[in-house]
Amino acid sequence: LESYPLGPACVLAGGFGTLLVASGAFGAVSASLVLVFFRAVPENPPSTLAELHKQTQLEPTQESFAWPRFGAIKSKYSFWAICVMFGCIQGVNSAWQATFQETLGKGTSAHLSDSAIGWLGFFNQGANNLGCLASATVTDGIFRATGRRAYRAMLITCFGLSAAVCWLFAFGLSSAVWSSPLLDLGPTALVCIAVASGFTVGLGSPCAFELSAELGYPAVSEGLASTIIFCMWNAACFAVLFVPPAALKSSANLIISMTLTVMVVLCTTLREKYHRQDATADVGLPA
């Protein structure tokens, strides 16, 4: 909502300063809702791992803080690979979404209006959120059927599908490699493809966070594993900013498609281990 339609409305009403104030207000409201409605230590732990740590959280000791043991994970290829892989996908994806105005706007083969592009971004992000919500249902269903979470298979499937639809998106527009679209998809098809890409990336996102936490446990906490991913995310997005605007306009669709393709191949090299689930099993709790 902040990106579109409220963001442009704020700019038109009071300029960029109004947009910054509105962004701060959105952040303050979101943080306040979390503080008011979510306890730091829930009465009913949301997972078996949280059950393990509940008592130590309720009765913190002077040694409750410990520096992360990076030495224990410095040689863990799969942990660092999933952090780099997912961070790059999300960073490049964020930069790609910012180019919709240049790649789909007036003067391009799609020739979409500014309003249509704004709604495209809205539905793309909405589909991403729906994918994140659906991920829990899908992975839980797989777990009930097989006894395994199958995070790697989910990542390969979701990001593979996203790579496929992004290549379709790239083929439907001109680029630095081909001067005219290779496929005559039409504006409606391009919008549907962009929304499908958002959903498939969202469907795999929770699996990437969970797998990184499993691979890093117990050397790093779930929060630190997520922080490393966000660092990679911001670094990848920042790197794309160094691409000259004219070159980025003609290559953004190729960059996101190639990034997803390479990262799917990288996913096949991951070693899937569930250290947290093993820890719960060792103390007799269901995984």
Side-chain angles (χ1 to χ4, degrees):
L1 288 174
E2 183 182 350
S3 299
Y4 194 87
L6 297 183
C10 290
V11 173
L12 291 175
F16 189 66
T18 302
L19 177 61
L20 291 178
V21 173
S23 299
F26 270 103
V29 170
S30 301
S32 298
L33 290 175
V34 172
L35 292 174
V36 171
F37 292 104
F38 294 89
R39 295 178 55 183
V41 182
E43 182 177 351
N44 298 312
S47 67
T48 52
L49 185 65
E51 178 71 40
L52 285 174
H53 298 309
K54 178 180 179 180
Q55 192 59 36
T56 58
Q57 290 175 323
L58 289 172
E59 300 176 1
T61 65
Q62 293 181 350
E63 298 179 354
S64 59
F65 174 81
W67 290 103
R69 295 182 286 119
F70 284 111
I73 59 169
K74 65 181 180 181
S75 61
K76 288 190 175 183
Y77 163 79
S78 293
F79 172 77
W80 292 108
I82 187 67
C83 290
V84 172
M85 177 206 73
F86 183 54
C88 286
I89 286 176
Q90 291 287 36
V92 174
N93 187 57
S94 297
W96 172 63
Q97 294 173 358
T99 66
F100 285 163
Q101 194 73 37
E102 289 74 21
T103 58
L104 297 172
K106 297 178 180 178
T108 67
S109 56
H111 199 68
L112 297 182
S113 65
D114 293 344
S115 177
I117 294 172
W119 284 111
L120 168 62
F122 175 83
F123 288 118
N124 176 272
Q125 191 58 50
N128 186 281
N129 294 335
L130 288 177
C132 290
L133 294 174
S135 180
T137 302
V138 174
T139 53
D140 285 348
I142 294 174
F143 180 73
R144 286 192 294 268
T146 65
R148 299 176 62 253
R149 293 294 180 187
Y151 289 141
R152 185 179 68 168
M154 278 287 292
L155 291 174
I156 293 173
T157 301
C158 294
F159 294 148
L161 289 173
S162 185
V165 296
C166 281
W167 277 114
L168 282 176
F169 190 87
F171 291 152
L173 297 167
S174 58
S175 72
V177 180
W178 48 83
S179 57
S180 58
L182 300 180
L183 297 175
D184 185 14
L185 297 178
T188 303
L190 290 173
V191 171
C192 292
I193 289 172
V195 172
S197 174
F199 180 81
T200 51
V201 170
L203 191 63
S205 296
C207 297
F209 282 114
E210 286 295 316
L211 184 56
S212 68
E214 292 283 357
L215 295 171
Y217 184 85
V220 296
S221 66
E222 299 94 326
L224 181 57
S226 298
T227 299
I228 294 173
I229 289 177
F230 278 110
C231 286
M232 299 295 180
W233 181 334
N234 292 325
C237 190
F238 185 68
V240 175
L241 295 178
F242 283 95
V243 179
L248 182 61
K249 176 180 178 179
S250 60
S251 62
N253 299 317
L254 294 178
I255 291 174
I256 183 65
S257 302
M258 290 187 292
T259 299
L260 284 164
T261 302
V262 171
M263 297 310 165
V264 168
V265 174
L266 182 61
C267 273
T268 63
T269 68
L270 299 177
R271 296 184 62 186
E272 196 171 21
K273 291 186 177 294
Y274 297 95
H275 300 304
R276 294 188 304 174
Q277 289 188 26
D278 294 341
T280 60
D282 289 342
V283 296
L285 291 173

